[in-house]
Amino acid sequence: MPKNILAILLLLFCLSCIENKTAKSVSDSNQNNQIATEAKKSDLSSQSEGVTEPEKIKERLPDGEFDKYFLSINNSKVSLCCLDAIYNPIGNLTENNISNLLPDYKITTETDENSIRTIFTKGKNSISIVKWQSEYSNDFEIFLGKGQFIDSNIQLKKGIKIGMTKRDFLNCFFHFSDSTINKVKQVSACKDERGEVYTKYKFKSDTLSMIKFGEWVE
């Protein structure tokens, strides 16, 4: 009888040792797996350091296509500065010169305390020149006033005329890529850095459809 009890106790002791060894082995295995996982994460993190996401490409006009005259672009509307051939496609802003350019246009004059406005009109077409005298000087400044052209019979400086293609208009002044030509729907030009008034060229279906004078930039 004592021998049987001793054998049973010895068996239980062996089973306990085996169970403890198995549990330790599983625990060690789990710990090793966790360490390996953390090491892999660390390795991946170190590989990605210094690697930035590619910048989003913003749609813009290619550098240099408008050269020094470029001010800004708002969607498809380009603003330029100090390119007189675009700001003033009329030429000499004198009544005599404009009368020769527009021989069948009606001429009216408006005056106030400091300015004289001469307006040439025909149907929906009009152009005005303003002589303005500063209160600090006796000199007159002459500039383009409000007006618009939709008359395709009038040819302006550089061969500009209503009905010409957008490509022909732009190529009068710059060398453009096709992508730029496709984007542009309006070109605005101001006389100088003050940016007070603009001449706008509006395109419809790739054709110059209207020229507006004495406009704000938008």
Side-chain angles (χ1 to χ4, degrees), residues 4-111:
N4 291 338
I5 293 174
L6 183 60
I8 291 171
L9 291 174
L10 183 61
L11 178 62
L12 292 175
F13 177 76
C14 291
L15 290 174
S16 176
C17 289
I18 292 171
E19 184 178 354
N20 288 338
K21 185 176 181 181
T22 302
K24 185 176 184 304
S25 177
V26 171
S27 176
D28 290 345
S29 177
N30 288 339
Q31 185 175 1
N32 289 337
N33 288 339
Q34 184 176 359
I35 292 172
T37 300
E38 293 297 328
K40 186 175 181 181
K41 287 182 180 179
S42 176
D43 185 54
L44 290 173
S45 176
S46 64
Q47 288 180 13
S48 63
E49 284 185 3
V51 178
T52 58
E53 293 185 3
E55 294 183 0
K56 292 182 179 178
I57 299 175
K58 297 180 180 179
E59 183 175 320
R60 61 181 178 83
L61 295 176
D63 294 336
E65 290 216 300
F66 285 101
D67 198 33
K68 61 185 178 181
Y69 303 105
F70 179 75
L71 281 181
S72 65
I73 179 169
N74 179 8
N75 296 322
S76 57
K77 300 176 181 178
V78 176
S79 297
L80 308 175
C81 172
C82 312
L83 183 52
D84 192 60
I86 293 182
Y87 168 73
N88 173 23
I90 304 297
N92 293 329
L93 295 179
T94 64
E95 182 174 338
N96 183 59
N97 181 59
I98 299 176
S99 295
N100 291 332
L101 179 67
L102 311 173
D104 53 350
Y105 276 56
K106 178 182 177 181
I107 303 174
T108 56
T109 301
E110 299 175 355
T111 61

Side-chain angles (χ1 to χ4, degrees), residues 114-115 131-141:
N114 295 316
S115 67
K131 281 186 176 182
W132 179 79
Q133 183 179 19
S134 169
E135 58 181 310
Y136 306 107
S137 170
N138 291 325
D139 296 330
F140 279 90
E141 181 179 356

Side-chain angles (χ1 to χ4, degrees), residues 44-215:
L44 290 173
S45 176
S46 64
Q47 288 180 13
S48 63
E49 284 185 3
V51 178
T52 58
E53 293 185 3
E55 294 183 0
K56 292 182 179 178
I57 299 175
K58 297 180 180 179
E59 183 175 320
R60 61 181 178 83
L61 295 176
D63 294 336
E65 290 216 300
F66 285 101
D67 198 33
K68 61 185 178 181
Y69 303 105
F70 179 75
L71 281 181
S72 65
I73 179 169
N74 179 8
N75 296 322
S76 57
K77 300 176 181 178
V78 176
S79 297
L80 308 175
C81 172
C82 312
L83 183 52
D84 192 60
I86 293 182
Y87 168 73
N88 173 23
I90 304 297
N92 293 329
L93 295 179
T94 64
E95 182 174 338
N96 183 59
N97 181 59
I98 299 176
S99 295
N100 291 332
L101 179 67
L102 311 173
D104 53 350
Y105 276 56
K106 178 182 177 181
I107 303 174
T108 56
T109 301
E110 299 175 355
T111 61
D112 60 27
E113 184 176 355
N114 295 316
S115 67
I116 302 172
R117 183 184 303 269
T118 305
I119 307 165
F120 302 79
T121 58
K122 178 184 178 183
K124 295 181 179 180
N125 301 278
S126 66
I127 186 170
S128 61
I129 53 173
V130 179
K131 281 186 176 182
W132 179 79
Q133 183 179 19
S134 169
E135 58 181 310
Y136 306 107
S137 170
N138 291 325
D139 296 330
F140 279 90
E141 181 179 356
I142 302 177
F143 58 90
L144 285 165
K146 284 275 188 180
Q148 70 172 27
F149 272 162
I150 57 173
D151 189 346
S152 61
N153 295 316
I154 305 301
Q155 182 163 310
L156 306 172
K157 290 190 330 184
K158 289 278 189 178
I160 296 173
K161 63 181 301 182
I162 298 298
M164 72 187 305
T165 67
K166 179 166 55 175
R167 180 182 294 275
D168 286 344
F169 172 81
L170 295 175
N171 285 342
C172 285
F173 307 97
F174 305 100
H175 296 289
F176 290 91
S177 63
D178 288 340
S179 61
T180 298
I181 292 175
N182 292 335
K183 289 176 189 176
V184 174
K185 293 184 179 178
Q186 176 179 298
V187 173
S188 304
C190 56
K191 181 178 181 180
D192 53 37
E193 293 84 354
R194 290 176 293 180
E196 294 174 335
V197 289
Y198 287 75
T199 300
K200 296 181 181 179
Y201 297 81
K202 297 178 178 287
F203 301 95
K204 186 176 181 181
S205 300
D206 292 327
T207 300
L208 180 60
S209 60
M210 178 183 292
I211 305 172
K212 301 196 76 173
F213 304 98
E215 294 283 306

